Every structure is written in structure tokens, then in C-alpha cells.
Amino acid sequence: MISVEEACQIITAHRINWGLETIPLSFASRRILAEPIVADRDFPPFDRVTMDGIALYTDTPLTEGLFRIEGTQYAGESPQTLTSRGSAIEVMTGAVLPLHTNTVVRYEDINVSEYSDKRFAALKAPVSPQQNVHHQGSDRQTGELLLPPGLRLGSSEMGILASVGKAEVLVEKKPRIALISTGDELVDVSAIPLPHQIRKSSGYQLAAALQEMGYASDLFHLPDQPESLESKLGDLLQNFEILILTGGVSAGKKDFVPATLEKLGVQKQFHKVAQRPGKPLWFGVKPGKNAVFALPGNPVSTFACFLKYVRPYLLRETLTPMKAVLSENIVFKPELTYFLTVAAAFNEEGRLLATPLKGSGSGDFANLLACTGFLELPSDRSVFEAGEVYPYFSFR
Ligand code: AMP
Ligand code: MG
């Protein structure tokens, strides 16, 4: 049996390149960028006025002064030119700074008056040279790298892509994902189960989690029957790049999933991880073609394994995990990493406090309603004290 760390390393080492595609910018949110994005012009691209008011020229601080207003410079217009040092040009936020000016004074800091058809601005607050001007290239310069490949595109990255003119963007292709429930006890959501049956719920739970990550998936249900499993899984391996199975991976007499996958040429990378819940986890690949995660069927185990292993695999996450503070003492004797279900919330001091949830084990998935995530307690200890800090992975 391998450790959680080893399992993570093996999974990361078996990332498959799904290829690249160019897509319209409006579809790029949550996709993984596959090209470097550089500034095609300076940020900002011109000396930009940051306040509504007047633009003038001064090399030294001013405490008073009267300036004739020569004209008005609006955003979106090419720059006007100041003709005399004693004058100013009215300017609007976002306008190009008029030529021969270097300083902007807000309306709040001037009095505007009219005298024989001419308009004048009198300063009523101190003025520093260069104030209220956002200088060309002061944020980023032409040619500078803004976004590296491999980045997952969020809202701020989308804004950057638009501002550098990427109407189309090169991204990694998304794998097609099959979510496969196994088990003869499972019936459809719309069915009235017999007393010994249960409705298949995990597929919907995982599909929703995938959807939140920007991935579509298709749901399947296969029986605990070797021939049928083999033929259906064979088809699914042809039509999907990622298979996420639930159930049938433990030591039960009808747990046919691992043997069937190997028979179909999926190379086992590991089976069983020193963790609770989720010990029977199985992972294998068809090199360059499929990644197969076979998760244990208990819904809490399924979900913990999905969040700990499948989600980072798909998101190509390399970030150090979030940490949270354990709020009460916990004793856990087995030499296993313990994924403790917790309700975590920030306290008054801004620390993330994780409160353990009392539940009845890995089948108790109603417990997930109060749960915000899992606190990862290491296998080399059995006593964990309130106030200690541990890795935390969340789904809220
Ligand atoms: P297994 O890993 O196949 O031994 O299943 C363990 C437990 O998880 C059994 O009680 C199953 O009924 C339950 N289970 C398996 N698959 C699902 C599913 N798709 N939805 C809800 N419960 C499931
Ligand atoms: Mg089963």
C-alpha cells in the first residue's frame, strides 16, 4: 500500500497531453492557456488622465495660479496641444494627456469662472507636478510576458487577453470524461427503490463538481458482472479520455473493476492508498490515451478521492494546499492519512477554523451537507490537538 504523497506523485507523473486547440476568447474562461501572452502595447498605452479636471504644465509645486482654459480633451480623442504655459485644457478621465501638459488638477481643486467669453480656472489646493497622470508603460511594457502557458484562465486573465487583442486563444483540449457508477444495488434517480436498493447519487455529485470546474461529463451505470463490464468499459475507453468509476474496487466478491480494467490493457499504477476514507482507490493509464480513476463507492470516500486526486489532475494544480486550524482534539489510531470531514469558517482574527463533523463513516454522505471540505491529518501520528494547522481541501 502506498502513501497519499506517493499516490499524488504517481498521478501527477501520468498527466496526459490532450492536444491543443484555438478557440474564441468568449469560450476561454476556465480553460488552460497553451501559449505565452505578451503585452502587444504599453500598459497604459499612453499617458492617461486619471481625474476629470484640467491639464496644465508645471515643473514645480504650485499653491496658487490662474489658467485660461483653451479647450476640452475627451476620452477617445487624439491629443490636443497646449499652446501657452499660462493656459490649461479641460480633461476627462481616460483621455490622453494633452501635449505640452504634464499635470492634472481635479475639478474639486479649482474654481472655474467666465470673463468676456473666456473661461478660467483658479487653483484652490496645492498641486504637485505629474499628479493624476497614469504614465505610458508604467504598469507593463510592450513585449513583457503577462500570462505564461499552463495558467488556468479566470476573470482577470480574460480581461488581460481581451486587452492585448486575443480574439482567439490557444488552449489545451479538454478530455472527454465518463462518470461510471458500478453496482447491482443501484437504481435510477426516478425509480422507487426496493428496500435493498439505493439510488445512484455519486454520479450527479461528481458531475456537478466537474461542471463547477468547467468540465462536461457523461453518466453511465454498469452492473457487477465481468463480461458486461469488460465490453462496456472497452467501448468507453475508445470514446472517452478520462474514466472515473465508482464502486467495485474493494475486496468484495463482486468487485470486478480492477481486474477488468487490467484485462482491457489499462496499466495499473497503484491500488490501495494508506488513507481513510478511500483506501481501495485504483489508478491506471493507457499511455497517451486514457487516465482511469476507480474510486471506492461509499459516497464520502468517492468525494474525498475526487477532490484530493481527480480535481488537481484535471486542473493541473501545483499550488501548495490551503491550511486550516483544527478546532478540537482528535484521536485517530490507524496508520493512515485521515481525511477528516470538517466545517471550516474564518474566525474574528481571520484564521480558518476547521470544526470536525461527527458522522458515521464513509457512507454517511448526508454529512457532506454541513461539510465544507476535508482536513488532511498525517499518518505518522494518532493524536491531533486543537490549534494545530493542517492541509485543507475544500469544495465550497
Ligand atoms: P462498493 O465500493 O462498490 O463496495 O460500494 C460501497 C458502497 O457505496 C455501497 O453501499 C454502495 O451501495 C455505495 N455506492 C456505490 N456506488 C454508488 C453510487 N453511484 N451512488 C451512491 N452510492 C453508491
Ligand atoms: Mg459495488
PDB file of all heavy atoms in Angstrom, residues 54-63 67 97 101-105 123 125-135:
ATOM      1  N   ILE A  54      -8.532  69.722 -15.106  1.00  0.00           N
ATOM      2  CA  ILE A  54      -7.761  70.438 -16.128  1.00  0.00           C
ATOM      3  C   ILE A  54      -6.329  69.887 -16.161  1.00  0.00           C
ATOM      4  O   ILE A  54      -5.811  69.421 -15.150  1.00  0.00           O
ATOM      5  CB  ILE A  54      -7.701  71.968 -15.853  1.00  0.00           C
ATOM      6  CG1 ILE A  54      -7.118  72.247 -14.446  1.00  0.00           C
ATOM      7  CG2 ILE A  54      -9.058  72.628 -16.035  1.00  0.00           C
ATOM      8  CD1 ILE A  54      -6.719  73.705 -14.229  1.00  0.00           C
ATOM      9  N   ALA A  55      -5.734  69.949 -17.378  1.00  0.00           N
ATOM     10  CA  ALA A  55      -4.328  69.563 -17.522  1.00  0.00           C
ATOM     11  C   ALA A  55      -3.519  70.822 -17.771  1.00  0.00           C
ATOM     12  O   ALA A  55      -3.927  71.708 -18.538  1.00  0.00           O
ATOM     13  CB  ALA A  55      -4.168  68.594 -18.689  1.00  0.00           C
ATOM     14  N   LEU A  56      -2.352  70.926 -17.104  1.00  0.00           N
ATOM     15  CA  LEU A  56      -1.509  72.100 -17.284  1.00  0.00           C
ATOM     16  C   LEU A  56      -0.060  71.642 -17.254  1.00  0.00           C
ATOM     17  O   LEU A  56       0.228  70.453 -17.101  1.00  0.00           O
ATOM     18  CB  LEU A  56      -1.801  73.136 -16.179  1.00  0.00           C
ATOM     19  CG  LEU A  56      -1.842  72.629 -14.732  1.00  0.00           C
ATOM     20  CD1 LEU A  56      -0.456  72.520 -14.134  1.00  0.00           C
ATOM     21  CD2 LEU A  56      -2.704  73.571 -13.890  1.00  0.00           C
ATOM     22  N   TYR A  57       0.864  72.599 -17.397  1.00  0.00           N
ATOM     23  CA  TYR A  57       2.273  72.232 -17.306  1.00  0.00           C
ATOM     24  C   TYR A  57       2.906  72.932 -16.117  1.00  0.00           C
ATOM     25  O   TYR A  57       2.764  74.146 -15.939  1.00  0.00           O
ATOM     26  CB  TYR A  57       3.036  72.626 -18.587  1.00  0.00           C
ATOM     27  CG  TYR A  57       4.462  72.104 -18.521  1.00  0.00           C
ATOM     28  CD1 TYR A  57       4.761  70.834 -19.010  1.00  0.00           C
ATOM     29  CD2 TYR A  57       5.470  72.847 -17.899  1.00  0.00           C
ATOM     30  CE1 TYR A  57       6.033  70.313 -18.885  1.00  0.00           C
ATOM     31  CE2 TYR A  57       6.747  72.334 -17.766  1.00  0.00           C
ATOM     32  CZ  TYR A  57       7.032  71.062 -18.265  1.00  0.00           C
ATOM     33  OH  TYR A  57       8.273  70.538 -18.137  1.00  0.00           O
ATOM     34  N   THR A  58       3.605  72.149 -15.271  1.00  0.00           N
ATOM     35  CA  THR A  58       4.412  72.783 -14.219  1.00  0.00           C
ATOM     36  C   THR A  58       5.574  71.866 -13.842  1.00  0.00           C
ATOM     37  O   THR A  58       5.423  70.653 -13.790  1.00  0.00           O
ATOM     38  CB  THR A  58       3.569  73.134 -12.965  1.00  0.00           C
ATOM     39  OG1 THR A  58       4.443  73.764 -12.011  1.00  0.00           O
ATOM     40  CG2 THR A  58       2.953  71.905 -12.328  1.00  0.00           C
ATOM     41  N   ASP A  59       6.753  72.483 -13.583  1.00  0.00           N
ATOM     42  CA  ASP A  59       7.931  71.729 -13.130  1.00  0.00           C
ATOM     43  C   ASP A  59       8.054  71.760 -11.617  1.00  0.00           C
ATOM     44  O   ASP A  59       8.829  70.997 -11.043  1.00  0.00           O
ATOM     45  CB  ASP A  59       9.212  72.367 -13.693  1.00  0.00           C
ATOM     46  CG  ASP A  59       9.384  72.029 -15.157  1.00  0.00           C
ATOM     47  OD1 ASP A  59       8.964  70.916 -15.553  1.00  0.00           O
ATOM     48  OD2 ASP A  59       9.920  72.877 -15.896  1.00  0.00           O
ATOM     49  N   THR A  60       7.334  72.687 -10.992  1.00  0.00           N
ATOM     50  CA  THR A  60       7.497  72.901  -9.544  1.00  0.00           C
ATOM     51  C   THR A  60       6.123  72.838  -8.873  1.00  0.00           C
ATOM     52  O   THR A  60       5.101  73.078  -9.524  1.00  0.00           O
ATOM     53  CB  THR A  60       8.086  74.304  -9.278  1.00  0.00           C
ATOM     54  OG1 THR A  60       7.271  75.255  -9.971  1.00  0.00           O
ATOM     55  CG2 THR A  60       9.527  74.416  -9.756  1.00  0.00           C
ATOM     56  N   PRO A  61       6.083  72.534  -7.586  1.00  0.00           N
ATOM     57  CA  PRO A  61       4.801  72.539  -6.878  1.00  0.00           C
ATOM     58  C   PRO A  61       4.158  73.926  -6.932  1.00  0.00           C
ATOM     59  O   PRO A  61       4.866  74.944  -6.890  1.00  0.00           O
ATOM     60  CB  PRO A  61       5.191  72.183  -5.445  1.00  0.00           C
ATOM     61  CG  PRO A  61       6.523  71.503  -5.543  1.00  0.00           C
ATOM     62  CD  PRO A  61       7.210  72.131  -6.710  1.00  0.00           C
ATOM     63  N   LEU A  62       2.839  73.968  -7.029  1.00  0.00           N
ATOM     64  CA  LEU A  62       2.118  75.236  -7.088  1.00  0.00           C
ATOM     65  C   LEU A  62       1.161  75.312  -5.902  1.00  0.00           C
ATOM     66  O   LEU A  62       0.602  74.293  -5.491  1.00  0.00           O
ATOM     67  CB  LEU A  62       1.277  75.320  -8.365  1.00  0.00           C
ATOM     68  CG  LEU A  62       1.995  75.174  -9.714  1.00  0.00           C
ATOM     69  CD1 LEU A  62       0.964  75.137 -10.839  1.00  0.00           C
ATOM     70  CD2 LEU A  62       2.967  76.344  -9.913  1.00  0.00           C
ATOM     71  N   THR A  63       0.990  76.536  -5.387  1.00  0.00           N
ATOM     72  CA  THR A  63      -0.039  76.710  -4.356  1.00  0.00           C
ATOM     73  C   THR A  63      -1.154  77.599  -4.876  1.00  0.00           C
ATOM     74  O   THR A  63      -2.267  77.590  -4.362  1.00  0.00           O
ATOM     75  CB  THR A  63       0.547  77.343  -3.087  1.00  0.00           C
ATOM     76  OG1 THR A  63       1.344  78.456  -3.459  1.00  0.00           O
ATOM     77  CG2 THR A  63       1.388  76.329  -2.319  1.00  0.00           C
ATOM     78  N   PHE A  67      -5.442  79.941 -14.690  1.00  0.00           N
ATOM     79  CA  PHE A  67      -5.149  79.374 -16.017  1.00  0.00           C
ATOM     80  C   PHE A  67      -6.354  79.567 -16.935  1.00  0.00           C
ATOM     81  O   PHE A  67      -7.485  79.275 -16.545  1.00  0.00           O
ATOM     82  CB  PHE A  67      -4.844  77.872 -15.905  1.00  0.00           C
ATOM     83  CG  PHE A  67      -3.617  77.567 -15.086  1.00  0.00           C
ATOM     84  CD1 PHE A  67      -3.683  77.476 -13.699  1.00  0.00           C
ATOM     85  CD2 PHE A  67      -2.380  77.398 -15.715  1.00  0.00           C
ATOM     86  CE1 PHE A  67      -2.553  77.215 -12.957  1.00  0.00           C
ATOM     87  CE2 PHE A  67      -1.244  77.126 -14.962  1.00  0.00           C
ATOM     88  CZ  PHE A  67      -1.327  77.035 -13.575  1.00  0.00           C
ATOM     89  N   LEU A  97      -3.352  62.511 -22.141  1.00  0.00           N
ATOM     90  CA  LEU A  97      -2.866  63.777 -21.580  1.00  0.00           C
ATOM     91  C   LEU A  97      -2.508  64.696 -22.748  1.00  0.00           C
ATOM     92  O   LEU A  97      -1.756  64.294 -23.645  1.00  0.00           O
ATOM     93  CB  LEU A  97      -1.640  63.501 -20.721  1.00  0.00           C
ATOM     94  CG  LEU A  97      -1.091  64.684 -19.928  1.00  0.00           C
ATOM     95  CD1 LEU A  97      -2.047  65.043 -18.790  1.00  0.00           C
ATOM     96  CD2 LEU A  97       0.299  64.360 -19.381  1.00  0.00           C
ATOM     97  N   THR A 101       1.450  69.233 -21.726  1.00  0.00           N
ATOM     98  CA  THR A 101       0.994  69.300 -20.323  1.00  0.00           C
ATOM     99  C   THR A 101       1.606  68.102 -19.599  1.00  0.00           C
ATOM    100  O   THR A 101       2.038  67.144 -20.242  1.00  0.00           O
ATOM    101  CB  THR A 101      -0.541  69.238 -20.185  1.00  0.00           C
ATOM    102  OG1 THR A 101      -0.992  67.915 -20.501  1.00  0.00           O
ATOM    103  CG2 THR A 101      -1.244  70.238 -21.093  1.00  0.00           C
ATOM    104  N   ASN A 102       1.675  68.184 -18.277  1.00  0.00           N
ATOM    105  CA  ASN A 102       2.242  67.059 -17.512  1.00  0.00           C
ATOM    106  C   ASN A 102       1.516  66.806 -16.196  1.00  0.00           C
ATOM    107  O   ASN A 102       1.900  65.932 -15.436  1.00  0.00           O
ATOM    108  CB  ASN A 102       3.743  67.274 -17.249  1.00  0.00           C
ATOM    109  CG  ASN A 102       3.999  68.430 -16.287  1.00  0.00           C
ATOM    110  OD1 ASN A 102       3.100  69.222 -16.001  1.00  0.00           O
ATOM    111  ND2 ASN A 102       5.233  68.526 -15.795  1.00  0.00           N
ATOM    112  N   THR A 103       0.482  67.587 -15.901  1.00  0.00           N
ATOM    113  CA  THR A 103      -0.127  67.562 -14.565  1.00  0.00           C
ATOM    114  C   THR A 103      -1.626  67.748 -14.706  1.00  0.00           C
ATOM    115  O   THR A 103      -2.075  68.531 -15.546  1.00  0.00           O
ATOM    116  CB  THR A 103       0.447  68.730 -13.722  1.00  0.00           C
ATOM    117  OG1 THR A 103       1.879  68.554 -13.659  1.00  0.00           O
ATOM    118  CG2 THR A 103      -0.139  68.791 -12.327  1.00  0.00           C
ATOM    119  N   VAL A 104      -2.389  67.009 -13.862  1.00  0.00           N
ATOM    120  CA  VAL A 104      -3.852  67.158 -13.917  1.00  0.00           C
ATOM    121  C   VAL A 104      -4.355  67.596 -12.542  1.00  0.00           C
ATOM    122  O   VAL A 104      -3.947  67.050 -11.513  1.00  0.00           O
ATOM    123  CB  VAL A 104      -4.517  65.827 -14.350  1.00  0.00           C
ATOM    124  CG1 VAL A 104      -6.037  65.897 -14.188  1.00  0.00           C
ATOM    125  CG2 VAL A 104      -4.144  65.496 -15.806  1.00  0.00           C
ATOM    126  N   VAL A 105      -5.234  68.602 -12.544  1.00  0.00           N
ATOM    127  CA  VAL A 105      -5.842  69.100 -11.309  1.00  0.00           C
ATOM    128  C   VAL A 105      -7.334  68.785 -11.359  1.00  0.00           C
ATOM    129  O   VAL A 105      -7.992  69.074 -12.358  1.00  0.00           O
ATOM    130  CB  VAL A 105      -5.632  70.624 -11.159  1.00  0.00           C
ATOM    131  CG1 VAL A 105      -6.128  71.097  -9.798  1.00  0.00           C
ATOM    132  CG2 VAL A 105      -4.164  70.988 -11.355  1.00  0.00           C
ATOM    133  N   LEU A 123      -6.576  77.856  -9.048  1.00  0.00           N
ATOM    134  CA  LEU A 123      -6.243  76.759  -8.143  1.00  0.00           C
ATOM    135  C   LEU A 123      -6.724  77.085  -6.737  1.00  0.00           C
ATOM    136  O   LEU A 123      -6.599  78.215  -6.280  1.00  0.00           O
ATOM    137  CB  LEU A 123      -4.726  76.542  -8.110  1.00  0.00           C
ATOM    138  CG  LEU A 123      -4.046  76.246  -9.438  1.00  0.00           C
ATOM    139  CD1 LEU A 123      -2.561  75.948  -9.213  1.00  0.00           C
ATOM    140  CD2 LEU A 123      -4.716  75.076 -10.153  1.00  0.00           C
ATOM    141  N   ALA A 125      -6.104  74.450  -4.276  1.00  0.00           N
ATOM    142  CA  ALA A 125      -5.398  73.439  -3.457  1.00  0.00           C
ATOM    143  C   ALA A 125      -4.005  73.292  -4.039  1.00  0.00           C
ATOM    144  O   ALA A 125      -3.796  73.575  -5.220  1.00  0.00           O
ATOM    145  CB  ALA A 125      -6.144  72.121  -3.497  1.00  0.00           C
ATOM    146  N   PRO A 126      -3.038  72.855  -3.231  1.00  0.00           N
ATOM    147  CA  PRO A 126      -1.674  72.682  -3.747  1.00  0.00           C
ATOM    148  C   PRO A 126      -1.626  71.639  -4.867  1.00  0.00           C
ATOM    149  O   PRO A 126      -2.394  70.676  -4.852  1.00  0.00           O
ATOM    150  CB  PRO A 126      -0.878  72.189  -2.531  1.00  0.00           C
ATOM    151  CG  PRO A 126      -1.722  72.454  -1.347  1.00  0.00           C
ATOM    152  CD  PRO A 126      -3.133  72.486  -1.799  1.00  0.00           C
ATOM    153  N   VAL A 127      -0.706  71.868  -5.818  1.00  0.00           N
ATOM    154  CA  VAL A 127      -0.576  70.992  -6.985  1.00  0.00           C
ATOM    155  C   VAL A 127       0.871  70.499  -7.069  1.00  0.00           C
ATOM    156  O   VAL A 127       1.804  71.285  -6.930  1.00  0.00           O
ATOM    157  CB  VAL A 127      -0.937  71.776  -8.277  1.00  0.00           C
ATOM    158  CG1 VAL A 127      -0.552  70.995  -9.524  1.00  0.00           C
ATOM    159  CG2 VAL A 127      -2.424  72.128  -8.292  1.00  0.00           C
ATOM    160  N   SER A 128       1.046  69.168  -7.269  1.00  0.00           N
ATOM    161  CA  SER A 128       2.404  68.635  -7.497  1.00  0.00           C
ATOM    162  C   SER A 128       2.539  68.289  -8.965  1.00  0.00           C
ATOM    163  O   SER A 128       1.601  67.765  -9.567  1.00  0.00           O
ATOM    164  CB  SER A 128       2.644  67.355  -6.713  1.00  0.00           C
ATOM    165  OG  SER A 128       2.162  67.457  -5.425  1.00  0.00           O
ATOM    166  N   PRO A 129       3.749  68.541  -9.535  1.00  0.00           N
ATOM    167  CA  PRO A 129       3.973  68.172 -10.933  1.00  0.00           C
ATOM    168  C   PRO A 129       3.682  66.683 -11.141  1.00  0.00           C
ATOM    169  O   PRO A 129       3.953  65.878 -10.255  1.00  0.00           O
ATOM    170  CB  PRO A 129       5.468  68.465 -11.153  1.00  0.00           C
ATOM    171  CG  PRO A 129       5.888  69.347 -10.044  1.00  0.00           C
ATOM    172  CD  PRO A 129       4.957  69.116  -8.899  1.00  0.00           C
ATOM    173  N   GLN A 130       3.119  66.325 -12.269  1.00  0.00           N
ATOM    174  CA  GLN A 130       2.849  64.927 -12.685  1.00  0.00           C
ATOM    175  C   GLN A 130       1.647  64.295 -11.975  1.00  0.00           C
ATOM    176  O   GLN A 130       1.355  63.121 -12.217  1.00  0.00           O
ATOM    177  CB  GLN A 130       4.067  64.001 -12.448  1.00  0.00           C
ATOM    178  CG  GLN A 130       5.393  64.519 -12.904  1.00  0.00           C
ATOM    179  CD  GLN A 130       5.617  64.340 -14.401  1.00  0.00           C
ATOM    180  OE1 GLN A 130       4.865  63.659 -15.081  1.00  0.00           O
ATOM    181  NE2 GLN A 130       6.638  64.994 -14.936  1.00  0.00           N
ATOM    182  N   GLN A 131       0.970  65.016 -11.110  1.00  0.00           N
ATOM    183  CA  GLN A 131      -0.105  64.359 -10.363  1.00  0.00           C
ATOM    184  C   GLN A 131      -1.265  63.971 -11.281  1.00  0.00           C
ATOM    185  O   GLN A 131      -1.497  64.578 -12.314  1.00  0.00           O
ATOM    186  CB  GLN A 131      -0.600  65.257  -9.219  1.00  0.00           C
ATOM    187  CG  GLN A 131      -1.356  66.491  -9.700  1.00  0.00           C
ATOM    188  CD  GLN A 131      -1.920  67.330  -8.561  1.00  0.00           C
ATOM    189  OE1 GLN A 131      -1.360  67.403  -7.473  1.00  0.00           O
ATOM    190  NE2 GLN A 131      -3.039  68.002  -8.826  1.00  0.00           N
ATOM    191  N   ASN A 132      -1.949  62.914 -10.883  1.00  0.00           N
ATOM    192  CA  ASN A 132      -3.145  62.420 -11.584  1.00  0.00           C
ATOM    193  C   ASN A 132      -2.898  62.038 -13.040  1.00  0.00           C
ATOM    194  O   ASN A 132      -3.793  62.160 -13.883  1.00  0.00           O
ATOM    195  CB  ASN A 132      -4.301  63.428 -11.482  1.00  0.00           C
ATOM    196  CG  ASN A 132      -4.704  63.693 -10.038  1.00  0.00           C
ATOM    197  OD1 ASN A 132      -4.621  62.792  -9.193  1.00  0.00           O
ATOM    198  ND2 ASN A 132      -5.102  64.913  -9.744  1.00  0.00           N
ATOM    199  N   VAL A 133      -1.666  61.577 -13.307  1.00  0.00           N
ATOM    200  CA  VAL A 133      -1.351  61.063 -14.640  1.00  0.00           C
ATOM    201  C   VAL A 133      -0.846  59.630 -14.479  1.00  0.00           C
ATOM    202  O   VAL A 133       0.020  59.364 -13.653  1.00  0.00           O
ATOM    203  CB  VAL A 133      -0.257  61.914 -15.333  1.00  0.00           C
ATOM    204  CG1 VAL A 133       0.074  61.317 -16.706  1.00  0.00           C
ATOM    205  CG2 VAL A 133      -0.698  63.365 -15.452  1.00  0.00           C
ATOM    206  N   HIS A 134      -1.430  58.726 -15.238  1.00  0.00           N
ATOM    207  CA  HIS A 134      -1.016  57.317 -15.242  1.00  0.00           C
ATOM    208  C   HIS A 134      -0.104  57.178 -16.456  1.00  0.00           C
ATOM    209  O   HIS A 134      -0.568  57.181 -17.594  1.00  0.00           O
ATOM    210  CB  HIS A 134      -2.297  56.474 -15.372  1.00  0.00           C
ATOM    211  CG  HIS A 134      -2.094  55.003 -15.189  1.00  0.00           C
ATOM    212  ND1 HIS A 134      -3.106  54.103 -15.390  1.00  0.00           N
ATOM    213  CD2 HIS A 134      -1.014  54.271 -14.839  1.00  0.00           C
ATOM    214  CE1 HIS A 134      -2.659  52.879 -15.157  1.00  0.00           C
ATOM    215  NE2 HIS A 134      -1.411  52.949 -14.832  1.00  0.00           N
ATOM    216  N   HIS A 135       1.234  57.076 -16.212  1.00  0.00           N
ATOM    217  CA  HIS A 135       2.180  57.210 -17.317  1.00  0.00           C
ATOM    218  C   HIS A 135       2.244  55.993 -18.222  1.00  0.00           C
ATOM    219  O   HIS A 135       2.158  54.851 -17.754  1.00  0.00           O
ATOM    220  CB  HIS A 135       3.579  57.552 -16.762  1.00  0.00           C
ATOM    221  CG  HIS A 135       3.670  58.977 -16.318  1.00  0.00           C
ATOM    222  ND1 HIS A 135       3.657  59.338 -14.980  1.00  0.00           N
ATOM    223  CD2 HIS A 135       3.719  60.133 -17.030  1.00  0.00           C
ATOM    224  CE1 HIS A 135       3.712  60.662 -14.891  1.00  0.00           C
ATOM    225  NE2 HIS A 135       3.748  61.169 -16.117  1.00  0.00           N
TER     226      HIS A 135
END
